[in-house]
Amino acid sequence: MPAEVSSASPASPPLTERQEARRRRILHASAQLASRGGFDAVQMREVAESSQVALGTLYRYFPSKVHLLVATMQDQLEHMHGTLRKKPPQGESAAERVAETLMRAFRALQREPHLADAMVRALTFADRSVSPEVDQVSRQTTVIILDAMGLENPTPEQLSAVRVIEHTWHSALITWLSGRASIAQVKIDIETVCRLIDLTSPETHE
Amino acid sequence: MPAEVSSASPASPPLTERQEARRRRILHASAQLASRGGFDAVQMREVAESSQVALGTLYRYFPSKVHLLVATMQDQLEHMHGTLRKKPPQGESAAERVAETLMRAFRALQREPHLADAMVRALTFADRSVSPEVDQVSRQTTVIILDAMGLENPTPEQLSAVRVIEHTWHSALITWLSGRASIAQVKIDIETVCRLIDLTSPETHE
DNA sequence: ATCAAGTCTGAAACTTGTTCTAGATTAGCG
DNA sequence: CGCTAATCTAGAACAAGTTTCAGACTTGAT
């Protein structure tokens, strides 16, 4: 039986069990170090040591620190998506549900602010060489938001609104992480941008 | 007593003429290198050499590469604000004028994509130690947008909308710079978010 | 079991941001 | 002018991301 985990990359060569285990150890070490001290605390030598892997091997699995942290984020996002699925948001309107979902995610990040710092900084600092991975994170986020909206076939307009919501989400996180915006401020920004959803979903229109 | 050589905000001790000239040379070299190869091409040793200043001096003027690039951005923003003032946007509604203004700025950035890369990456990668400077950039951007709206006394709601517009602006730039979104996509995102302005200022605002 | 190809390890080397030091220069002041 | 503190310079040194390499280990196919 092929242990197909439909998680990430398209057609990467299948990993042996030991390789899968290595990959897991690395991601775990990365998240642990990140939780402790954020982006700067994730030092490649330390990640290698913590996960009992040679530095060269670490770089074979993740070609840069940013790749590693983005992969860490993919990992965490899957987790979160699972959690959110179990308790779907309760709001009346789509806008309310999306805002509630994002605020829930935000509270989760607040519990591990250093980890959030590492992941989000990596995400926005990533250059073109990490585009595929960053794009994957973006798609995953889109799925979460569309889930919250409860839409099967979003219109192009609604997809634009979702894109803008994602932009706001990332950027608001950055301002919070760098101490330039309060938690309350982020909440307001999220609620503000979510109003766009009402704009793009015409009331009674069947 | 260490002399603060920070850039703008409160009361930095006055610089002598030669110091002002040094600062200018440094910023010029920074922008030039950035224009050539983006964030990575701005290497502190090269900036120092290009601007005929010792490495230690460079660090006295700008305590990190990110500080330097954010200051470069402040510089460019002032330029842009001046340019925009001369030819105010023509749109009917506030939303249109803001979108037009941002698209104009976007086109300016497209002419120097590497410079844009360096500045925007620095801006979003900046940690807490650069908050004052990043905040200054943010305030300047806010002023530009409010100018385009033509508002003297924005309501809190409108300020929230402006914040969200700025979030979208930054994040959309990032996705464009890293090749994950097309120019057309960025245009759509900007136009989409600008609709928020209509939401917060109904009909004819006196 | 054996061989070839691919993978992992440990360690050193290289790159670039950042810090430090000792001595030269400059600015302000009496 | 001559002094003192601040600033500037050249260059070494340090830190962390990344690359490289020779040799040991695994894996898969025969």
Side-chain angles (χ1 to χ4, degrees), chain B residues 20-36 42 46-48 50-52 58 62 68-69 71-73 75-76 79 115:
Chain B
E20 192 54 53
R22 265 189 212 105
R23 185 165 193 283
R24 215 112 287 303
R25 285 206 307 277
I26 292 172
L27 286 174
H28 183 255
S30 168
Q32 187 146 331
L33 287 170
S35 299
R36 217 181 278 310
V42 180
E46 288 211 33
V47 173
S50 285
S51 50
Q52 308 210 261
L58 172 52
F62 301 97
L68 171 57
L69 285 172
T72 303
M73 176 142 204
D75 218 37
Q76 303 289 116
H79 233 250
L115 176 58

Side-chain angles (χ1 to χ4, degrees), chain B residues 77-114:
Chain B
L77 254 193
E78 265 174 51
H79 233 250
M80 165 129 308
H81 195 183
T83 306
L84 288 173
R85 266 188 193 292
K86 287 177 195 157
K87 299 187 287 183
Q90 296 297 323
E92 295 280 316
S93 69
E96 282 172 6
R97 288 193 299 276
V98 171
E100 186 184 332
T101 298
L102 292 182
M103 281 307 295
R104 210 182 277 180
F106 184 34
R107 277 188 288 274
L109 292 180
Q110 284 171 51
R111 265 173 249 128
E112 295 284 5
H114 288 305

Side-chain angles (χ1 to χ4, degrees), chain B residues 124-137:
Chain B
T124 61
F125 190 61
D127 67 3
R128 300 179 109 85
S129 71
V130 204
S131 287
E133 288 81 1
V134 174
D135 226 52
Q136 160 75 12
V137 167

Side-chain angles (χ1 to χ4, degrees), chain A residues 9 54 61 64 125 156 201:
Chain A
S9 31
Y61 280 71
S64 78
F125 189 58
S201 53

